[in-house]
Amino acid sequence: MNTLTKILASTLFLLVAVTGCSETETPKEGVKYTVVATPTADIADVVEVFSLGCGHCRNMELMLPEIKKLAEVDIEQVHVTFNESAQYAAYLFYTAAIQSNGKPSAELKEALFSFVQEQAADLDEEGRKNKLDEIFGQYALVSPFDLNDEQKEQVYQQMTHANQLEQNAQITSVPSFLVKGKYLVQNGAHDSLEDLANTIRFLSEKQ
């Protein structure tokens, strides 16, 4: 093979490689994400929709710092209100959120995950109250049972907003990522954390 042929072959290989890479790195609508019919306004650019009662959400919680780093975005959280049990858990989360500038610590969230998923079912009503008083007290926060009227209204507003977002985006499973209020990421279509973060970053930059 002469020198010119080698150069042409190398150039062709490079072009094919770059094209393949570009196709892989550009998330496709309908595959990696969908566009929701009814966008939600006035929310953060990237939102994780989750539930304290969801085991997969608890696992995702451990991955969020890395996703934020890889996608170069901040991620806020919205708790679902699908049903009575989800509404109960949402009340706990938003009780913590309104007292933590919307961002309860990772340690507090893990304590709430543990309470909802592992402890609550084995306690009677008084036991659940005592345990929640203990959890919130550890972080110098008011217990869900001791909120004043203003705080209860704040929690109610957060839950109402969450419910509206669920309906707009037609959220049926968690965890889910909603970007710019209108792009719903299809978690199952991604092969890795890096792949997921790439889609989130792409959508966050999409006009």
Side-chain angles (χ1 to χ4, degrees), residues 21-154:
C21 182
S22 296
E23 289 177 351
T24 300
E25 292 181 353
T26 303
K28 296 185 182 300
E29 181 181 338
V31 179
K32 295 292 181 75
Y33 70 95
T34 56
V35 181
V36 304
T38 307
T40 299
D42 301 323
I43 64 170
D45 277 355
V46 184
V47 169
E48 183 211 11
V49 186
F50 85 112
S51 171
L52 290 172
C54 164
H56 292 301
C57 298
R58 192 175 184 180
N59 293 333
M60 182 64 76
E61 189 72 25
L62 302 176
M63 304 176 196
L64 283 180
E66 185 65 14
I67 293 173
K68 292 178 183 179
K69 179 180 177 181
L70 291 170
E72 300 178 344
V73 297
D74 191 20
I75 299 177
E76 296 197 6
Q77 292 178 301
V78 170
H79 197 293
V80 292
T81 58
F82 289 146
N83 49 40
E84 187 174 343
S85 62
Q87 290 165 13
Y88 174 76
Y91 192 86
L92 303 184
F93 173 74
Y94 287 120
T95 293
I98 65 166
Q99 300 180 76
S100 310
N101 293 320
K103 295 185 177 182
S105 68
E107 294 77 14
L108 173 53
K109 283 187 287 185
E110 172 54 29
L112 293 176
F113 272 119
S114 179
F115 172 79
V116 171
Q117 296 184 23
E118 300 164 4
Q119 302 168 12
D122 296 327
L123 299 171
D124 59 17
E125 185 174 349
E126 182 179 358
R128 288 193 291 272
K129 180 183 183 305
N130 290 339
K131 186 61 181 178
L132 286 170
D133 286 346
E134 176 187 328
I135 291 172
F136 280 82
Q138 287 176 347
Y139 297 91
L141 301 178
V142 177
S143 164
F145 298 95
D146 297 322
L147 297 180
N148 59 36
D149 290 343
E150 181 181 353
Q151 290 170 322
K152 289 177 183 176
E153 178 61 24
Q154 290 176 12

Side-chain angles (χ1 to χ4, degrees), residues 78-81 94 157-167:
V78 170
H79 197 293
V80 292
T81 58
Y94 287 120
Q157 289 177 1
Q158 294 282 348
M159 292 177 66
T160 299
H161 178 72
N163 182 259
Q164 188 62 61
L165 182 149
E166 289 168 40
Q167 294 183 35

